[in-house]
């Protein structure tokens, strides 16, 4: 979303107390103490990094005040840009020593506020850690640093006959570190899974500043699955400084089909029919009429005229298998109302079909000055019902909603459109956005599929989970980060257990009494 409104509870970029005569003396002292702690970390960083790697200038700091969800903006107190894992570890140790919170950031393309800085903390930017250390064809593995761009892994592996399967729509600019933090998916997650299915090992900096190895080259390392806990933890457990990823063999045959339907109901029915037939395409993507309109305005993708919805279906694998699957998919789409089907078999034709889908989020800016990118999951069979309910929400509220999503696995990405210059428009859009998440939960789904919880969706967590559930999740966080300095304030709606403030409660927490938790 492109609005810059400051939400309640998020510090304003210029918040502070220094020099303000209206502030109480104790507030001024507290501000001075914070400044002293930040200065101490900055001194350590200056000993390790070149001048360009330590940013304290207020104007330059504001460059980093948000991620891809620009609705939330906080200016960090300090930005550091390390170049290797030893520098990251030293900076984290300094943060731990001085009680300074830190947030890791990659390319800044996240859509949940997960990389939102802390106003009294350090932003550790990994964009200069972009070495692909190894591409091992014999092991089907690559070892990459967190700043490596997603698509560059595939570019490095393609000459030896492999590629990296997880492919977020932002794969030309998003980095592997952020993909690991958010457990990102992409169009091909239907067949190939999410980031967690393609990560076998990681070099990991704990909140104490220790560098440890998690997992390895094997598909399933022995012992506790600490790697599984870290992938998707949104930077709340520590920082990954290198990742061992699986490489997938380039398929013998790839066919991409663009299918036009009169309605999303028909497209949804075709999607269910294909999966029910035992066919698992590499991808099944859906766009409705409003999303198509935006894509046409932005990239002139030439999708079928008059379509109320299109499916982009990709089949890959052995040639004989793809030929058989294509014939069945073509029939099932026709049976469910398809009025036009186009087949692409060479890379240029496939890229043209994918161009509209891959550009959809940014393309919405052509038809609306502001928008919210939402992310929720529902059972695939509930697609028609939920899409109708979203249409009713849009009609009754007067807020337009464009739908573009991974139809094959029910991962919705409604784009809620508004003009923030119109009084109340932002609030109305937020209300519709929240109602869509409620629909997902009501139909047995989730509030996020691949964008993460971050800052944006923390308030929705109690709608999915009980207090006991949330406490259990927080126990894991406490085990990794008892001081609560690694990306604090994200995922959970209120501080809990080791992160509870202020002070210690008079009565013990029930989990304490049961011997399951320790308050630090």
């Amino acid at each position: 979303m492109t609005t810059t409104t400051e939400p309640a509870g998020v510090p304003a970029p210029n918040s502070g107390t220094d020099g303000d005569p209206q502030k109480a003396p104790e507030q001024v002292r507290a501000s001075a103490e914070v400044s002293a702690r930040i200065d101490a970390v900055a001194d350590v960083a200056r000993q390790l990094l070149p001048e360009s790697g330590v940013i304290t200038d207020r104007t330059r700091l504001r460059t980093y005040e948000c991620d891809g969800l620009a609705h939330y903006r906080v200016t960090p107190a300090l930005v550091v840009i390390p170049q290797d894992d030893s520098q990251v570890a030293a900076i984290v140790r300094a943060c731990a020593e001085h009680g300074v919170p830190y947030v890791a950031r990659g390319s800044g393309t996240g859509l949940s506020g997960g990389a939102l800085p802390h106003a009294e903390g350090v932003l550790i930017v990994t964009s200069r850690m972009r070495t692909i250390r190894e591409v091992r064809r014999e092991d089907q593995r690559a070892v990459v640093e967190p700043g490596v761009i997603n698509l560059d892994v595939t570019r490095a592996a393609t000459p030896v006959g492999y590629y990296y399967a997880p492919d977020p729509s932002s794969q030309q600019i998003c980095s592997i570190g952020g993909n690991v933090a958010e457990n990102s998916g992409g169009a091909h997650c239907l067949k190939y899974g999410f980031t967690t299915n393609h990560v076998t090992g990681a070099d990991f900096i704990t909140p104490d500043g220790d560098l440890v190895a998690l997992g390895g080259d094997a598909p399933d390392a022995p012992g506790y699955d600490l790697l599984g806990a870290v992938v998707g933890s949104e930077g709340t457990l520590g920082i990954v400084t290198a990742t061992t990823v699986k490489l997938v063999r380039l398929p013998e045959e790839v066919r991409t089909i663009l299918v036009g339907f009169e309605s999303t109901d028909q497209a949804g029915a075709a999607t269910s029919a294909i999966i029910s037939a035992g066919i698992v395409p590499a991808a099944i993507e859906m766009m409705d009429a409003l999303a198509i309109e935006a894509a046409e305005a932005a990239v002139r993708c030439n999708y079928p005229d008059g379509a109320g919805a299109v499916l982009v279906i990709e089949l890959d694998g052995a040639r004989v298998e793809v030929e058989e699957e294509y014939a069945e998919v073509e029939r099932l789409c026709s049976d469910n109302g398809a009025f036009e089907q186009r087949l692409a078999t060479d890379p240029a034709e496939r890229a043209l079909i994918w161009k509209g889908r891959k550009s959809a989020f940014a393309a919405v800016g052509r038809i609306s000055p502001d928008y919210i990118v939402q992310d929720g999951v529902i059972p695939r069979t509930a697609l028609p019902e939920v899409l109708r309910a979203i249409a009713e929400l849009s009609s009754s509220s007067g807020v337009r909603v464009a739908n573009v999503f991974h139809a094959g696995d029910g991962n919705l990405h409604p784009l809620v459109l508004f003009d923030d210059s119109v009084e109340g428009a932002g609030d109305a859009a937020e209300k519709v956005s929240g109602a869509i998440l409620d629909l997902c939960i009501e139909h047995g789904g989730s509030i996020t599929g691949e964008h993460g919880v971050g800052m944006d969706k923390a308030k929705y967590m109690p709608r999915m989970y009980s207090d006991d559930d949330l406490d259990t999740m927080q126990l894991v966080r406490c085990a990794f980060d008892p001081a609560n300095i690694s990306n604090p304030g994200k995922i959970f709606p209120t501080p809990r257990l080791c992160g509870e403030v202020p002070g210690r409660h008079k009565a013990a927490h029930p989990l304490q009494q049961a011997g399951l938790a320790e308050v630090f």
Side-chain angles (χ1 to χ4, degrees):
M1 182 163 71
T2 57
T3 180
T4 61
T5 303
E6 293 295 341
V10 178
N14 296 311
S15 61
T17 59
D18 292 338
D20 186 344
Q22 300 302 314
K23 298 296 182 181
E26 61 271 19
Q27 292 177 299
V28 175
R29 284 195 298 271
S31 179
E33 290 172 3
V34 169
S35 296
R37 292 198 295 267
I38 293 294
D39 289 344
V41 176
D43 288 343
V44 172
R46 289 189 185 98
Q47 296 173 24
L48 299 167
L49 307 176
E51 184 178 351
S52 62
V54 182
I55 300 173
T56 57
D57 176 73
R58 190 72 181 180
T59 301
R60 294 180 64 199
L61 288 173
R62 293 197 66 176
T63 302
Y64 298 92
E65 66 185 3
C66 67
D67 58 13
L69 184 63
H71 185 47
Y72 297 96
R73 294 174 182 264
V74 176
T75 303
L78 172 68
V79 169
V80 296
I81 312 177
Q83 297 171 306
D84 60 45
D85 49 14
S86 65
Q87 293 173 351
V88 175
I91 292 164
V92 170
R93 282 196 296 272
C95 288
E97 179 183 351
H98 297 285
V100 175
Y102 65 85
V103 177
R105 172 192 165 110
S107 294
T109 59
L111 294 168
S112 65
L116 186 75
H118 194 288
E120 298 178 351
V122 179
L123 190 68
I124 301 174
V125 179
T126 61
S127 58
R128 291 182 183 171
M129 300 174 65
R130 49 182 179 230
T131 300
I132 297 177
R133 297 180 182 176
E134 295 181 85
V135 175
R136 299 199 305 269
R137 180 181 185 276
E138 63 278 11
D139 293 331
Q140 297 179 319
R141 296 288 185 271
V143 181
V144 303
E145 293 184 350
V148 172
I149 299 303
N150 177 287
L151 189 57
D152 286 346
V153 183
T154 286
R155 287 172 175 154
T158 296
V160 295
Y162 287 83
Y163 73 107
Y164 181 60
D167 61 335
S169 294
S170 57
Q171 69 174 150
Q172 295 186 36
I173 53 174
C174 66
S175 57
I176 293 296
N179 293 170
V180 171
E182 302 294 342
N183 189 26
S184 302
H188 292 82
C189 62
L190 172 62
K191 184 174 184 178
Y192 293 102
F194 291 76
T195 298
T196 189
N197 304 113
H198 296 267
V199 172
T200 65
D203 292 344
F204 179 70
I205 307 292
T206 71
D208 292 327
D210 295 328
L211 174 61
V212 298
L214 304 178
D217 292 333
D220 188 12
Y224 291 117
D225 186 16
L226 298 178
L227 182 65
V230 166
V231 177
S233 63
E234 304 189 29
T236 62
L237 305 183
I239 302 175
V240 170
T241 56
T243 306
T244 301
V245 299
K246 297 178 184 178
L247 300 176
V248 178
R249 183 73 177 169
L250 289 168
E252 182 182 18
E253 176 87 355
V254 180
R255 294 191 183 188
T256 305
I257 312 130
L258 177 66
V259 190
F261 297 87
E262 293 180 355
S263 69
T264 55
D265 276 8
Q266 292 175 330
T271 299
S272 291
I274 290 166
I275 303 298
S276 296
I279 299 169
V280 183
I284 306 181
E285 300 289 295
M286 188 190 297
M287 297 171 64
D288 69 5
L290 195 53
I292 295 167
E293 177 188 339
E296 293 289 354
V299 299
R300 299 181 181 176
C301 49
N302 193 32
Y303 282 178
D305 288 338
V310 295
L311 290 181
V312 177
I313 305 169
E314 190 152 280
L315 306 169
D316 67 5
R319 182 170 290 109
V320 63
E321 178 185 16
V322 172
E323 288 175 353
E324 290 290 330
E325 289 181 343
Y326 171 68
E328 184 70 358
V329 166
E330 187 179 38
R331 181 186 68 79
L332 291 170
C333 287
S334 296
D335 289 349
N336 284 279
F339 67 83
E340 184 175 339
Q341 299 192 48
R342 303 178 193 167
L343 172 65
T345 56
D346 69 64
E349 291 176 342
R350 291 201 304 273
L352 187 61
I353 287 178
W354 277 110
K355 190 175 184 180
R357 169 60 186 92
K358 291 282 188 178
S359 68
F361 288 1
V364 170
R366 294 296 187 99
I367 62 172
S368 178
D370 301 286
Y371 58 95
I372 298 170
V373 181
Q374 197 47 277
D375 168 48
V377 181
I378 56 172
R380 187 174 48 249
T381 51
L383 275 173
E385 183 180 353
V386 171
L387 290 175
R388 283 194 296 270
I390 291 174
E392 291 169 5
L393 276 172
S394 176
S395 177
S396 62
S397 65
V399 176
R400 294 185 299 166
V401 180
N403 289 289
V404 50
F405 54 93
H406 311 311
D409 60 353
N411 190 180
L412 304 179
H413 294 315
L415 303 167
V416 184
L417 315 184
F418 67 103
D419 182 350
D420 200 46
S421 67
V422 177
E423 186 177 354
D427 291 339
E430 289 276 5
K431 186 175 180 180
V432 169
S433 178
I436 291 172
L437 292 181
D438 287 338
L439 282 172
C440 293
I441 295 170
E442 289 167 11
H443 286 81
S446 169
I447 61 172
T448 181
E450 56 184 346
H451 292 176
V453 176
M455 175 68 71
D456 188 45
K457 295 184 179 179
K459 61 188 175 185
Y460 296 104
M461 290 287 277
R463 302 188 190 185
M464 278 189 65
Y465 300 107
S466 69
D467 285 346
D468 287 344
D469 292 332
L470 293 172
D471 281 349
T472 302
M473 294 178 198
Q474 186 73 335
L475 284 172
V476 176
R477 185 171 188 169
C478 291
F480 279 79
D481 181 21
N484 194 32
I485 63 171
S486 185
N487 204 12
K490 309 295 169 57
I491 301 179
F492 298 98
T494 56
R496 311 177 70 84
L497 294 175
C498 63
E500 286 180 335
V501 291
R504 188 184 299 271
H505 293 286
K506 292 181 179 179
H509 192 282
L511 291 177
Q512 265 187 285
Q513 294 175 325
L516 298 175
E518 181 180 356
V519 174
F520 295 86

